[in-house]
Amino acid sequence: MIINNVMIAPVLPIERTTGWTILQLMNGSLPPWAVDKNFNGASQIIKFFNIFRLDNYFHLNLYYRLFCNVLAFIVIFNLKKKLAFIEFFMILITILFLNIFDFYLLKEPAEFVFVMLVYLVLKSKLKFKEIVVLSSVIFLGNAIQLRAYYGILVVFPFIYFVVLKSKYLVKSSIIKKILFILSIMVTSYLVMFPLLSRISPEFFDVLLNRTGELQLDANTSIRPIFLSTNFVSIGLNYFLKILRICFPIEIVLKGINQIIFFVVQCTITFFTIRTLKNFKNNNKIQNYSLCIVLSFIFLSAMFEPDFGSWVRHEMVMFPIQFLAFGFDKQIYLKYNEDGKMEC
């Protein structure tokens, strides 16, 4: 946080518009109907945790940066004591990215609260069925309060868990697992896509533009490969977008300063594939956490317009990622009835 404030923040164009909007909603100077519901949801959550009743933008911003870092370190303190270098690198770079892009007076800290609640549920001693139900309820609360499309995380983690536990896939190679998951993602997307035109025409137009014709100005825009908006092109664009966000080779061409994004994303993809490969040897909590991560990829490939937004939102999911990847000592090591340690 200190490094970011001294070296990075002065030259990074951090958008403060969202923060001022949230502050105005909190102090009542801006009516709730004047903005989208996700601003109102974020302001209510941030106001709830504003125990010192701060009303100055810079004081409130600093307070929430400290608050979010404390939550982040609660996760870190629960990791296993011995870490491989690549695991340590992943933790270090995650905290750095969070302080650069997420831990401000934005909507992301409010989302982070929901993620932390799911993390605590996953770490609890509840029965597995209770964990699935309760975590789904929390994601539903996120969908109601902040981003409606987070409702996807209510259903799809369970679907992926059931599919990967099937006899067909449990002993399959990693290639078959990946291809099967990708096929489910694309098929689900194509089924949901036309339904959105009837459920929410306005939302459908946004999704269509991001998939087909939208020309974005951001330096890291994920521009569609096929500009046609027919059914086949939409499916191919979505399939390629999944691969592009998991292996963002193209952002390296944007400049030397983008290489760190490439390295970080490839590291996360590596851990995701490694965990998927060992699915039959992991315990239920680790595998269910992985299914949440896979569902988040499915969700992000639908809605994220650029690599910057993708990385910013992905970093918020890091507590569940760490559980999925086996960074947590209670997940990574367990004991059988004879007292012998197992992985």
Side-chain angles (χ1 to χ4, degrees), residues 58-107:
F58 296 100
H59 295 165
L60 194 59
N61 189 56
L62 178 61
Y63 168 71
Y64 276 102
R65 298 197 71 189
L66 289 168
F67 176 78
C68 289
N69 272 288
V70 169
L71 292 181
F73 276 92
I74 289 174
V75 178
I76 292 175
F77 290 148
N78 279 282
L79 303 181
K80 58 191 176 75
K81 293 181 180 179
K82 279 195 173 183
L83 294 166
F85 173 78
I86 192 170
E87 295 172 333
F88 177 75
F89 168 79
M90 190 68 255
I91 294 166
L92 188 65
I93 208 70
T94 297
I95 295 300
L96 180 62
F97 270 43
L98 285 166
N99 276 282
I100 294 174
F101 299 109
D102 292 296
F103 287 170
Y104 291 91
L105 195 59
L106 302 171
K107 289 174 283 187

Side-chain angles (χ1 to χ4, degrees), residues 306-319:
D306 58 80
F307 289 109
S309 299
W310 156 238
V311 171
R312 188 172 75 252
H313 295 144
E314 181 186 34
M315 289 294 108
V316 173
M317 296 292 292
F318 87 92

Side-chain angles (χ1 to χ4, degrees), residues 192-207:
M192 293 170 63
F193 194 84
L195 292 177
L196 290 172
S197 63
R198 296 184 179 182
I199 297 172
S200 176
E202 181 181 353
F203 183 76
F204 177 79
D205 289 339
V206 172
L207 192 58

Side-chain angles (χ1 to χ4, degrees), residues 13 21 27-28 36 48 59 86 99 123 138 144-145 169 173 183 200 213-214 290 293 295 327-328 339-340:
T21 301
N27 61 28
D36 293 337
F48 177 81
H59 295 165
I86 192 170
N99 276 282
K123 291 227 349 130
I138 294 170
I144 294 171
Q145 283 288 105
L169 283 184
S173 66
S183 67
S200 176
E213 298 174 342
L214 188 64
L290 172 66
V293 172
S295 299
F327 291 2
D328 186 276
K340 295 181 180 180

Side-chain angles (χ1 to χ4, degrees), residues 35-212:
V35 294
D36 293 337
K37 75 165 189 175
N38 51 11
F39 281 95
N40 289 301
S43 66
Q44 291 170 14
I45 294 167
I46 291 174
K47 186 177 182 179
F48 177 81
F49 289 102
N50 184 18
I51 58 176
F52 298 110
R53 298 296 180 260
L54 302 172
D55 57 4
N56 176 279
Y57 173 83
F58 296 100
H59 295 165
L60 194 59
N61 189 56
L62 178 61
Y63 168 71
Y64 276 102
R65 298 197 71 189
L66 289 168
F67 176 78
C68 289
N69 272 288
V70 169
L71 292 181
F73 276 92
I74 289 174
V75 178
I76 292 175
F77 290 148
N78 279 282
L79 303 181
K80 58 191 176 75
K81 293 181 180 179
K82 279 195 173 183
L83 294 166
F85 173 78
I86 192 170
E87 295 172 333
F88 177 75
F89 168 79
M90 190 68 255
I91 294 166
L92 188 65
I93 208 70
T94 297
I95 295 300
L96 180 62
F97 270 43
L98 285 166
N99 276 282
I100 294 174
F101 299 109
D102 292 296
F103 287 170
Y104 291 91
L105 195 59
L106 302 171
K107 289 174 283 187
E108 280 72 27
E111 292 178 22
F112 184 48
V113 170
F114 283 99
V115 172
M116 279 298 297
L117 289 174
V118 174
Y119 167 79
L120 293 174
V121 169
L122 291 169
K123 291 227 349 130
S124 70
K125 295 182 179 180
L126 295 171
K127 294 179 180 179
F128 180 69
K129 290 182 180 179
E130 295 172 340
I131 287 175
V132 172
V133 172
L134 192 52
S135 59
S136 298
V137 169
I138 294 170
F139 280 128
L140 181 61
N142 191 330
I144 294 171
Q145 283 288 105
L146 295 171
R147 301 183 191 275
Y149 52 77
Y150 266 69
I152 291 173
L153 296 180
V154 175
V155 178
F156 277 86
F158 182 72
I159 292 175
Y160 291 144
F161 184 83
V162 171
V163 169
L164 288 168
K165 289 287 287 185
S166 65
K167 292 182 179 180
Y168 173 74
L169 283 184
V170 73
K171 295 182 180 180
S172 299
S173 66
I174 184 61
I175 301 298
K176 284 185 178 180
K177 286 187 175 75
I178 292 173
L179 290 176
F180 203 81
I181 288 295
L182 286 174
S183 67
I184 292 177
M185 287 183 176
V186 175
T187 303
S188 302
Y189 178 74
L190 292 175
V191 169
M192 293 170 63
F193 194 84
L195 292 177
L196 290 172
S197 63
R198 296 184 179 182
I199 297 172
S200 176
E202 181 181 353
F203 183 76
F204 177 79
D205 289 339
V206 172
L207 192 58
L208 181 65
N209 286 337
R210 287 185 175 179
T211 306

Side-chain angles (χ1 to χ4, degrees), residues 261-278:
F261 290 94
F262 172 76
V263 173
V264 170
Q265 185 54 58
C266 286
T267 304
I268 294 174
T269 302
F270 162 78
F271 281 120
T272 303
I273 294 174
R274 188 184 71 171
T275 309
L276 184 60
K277 181 181 178 181
N278 297 324

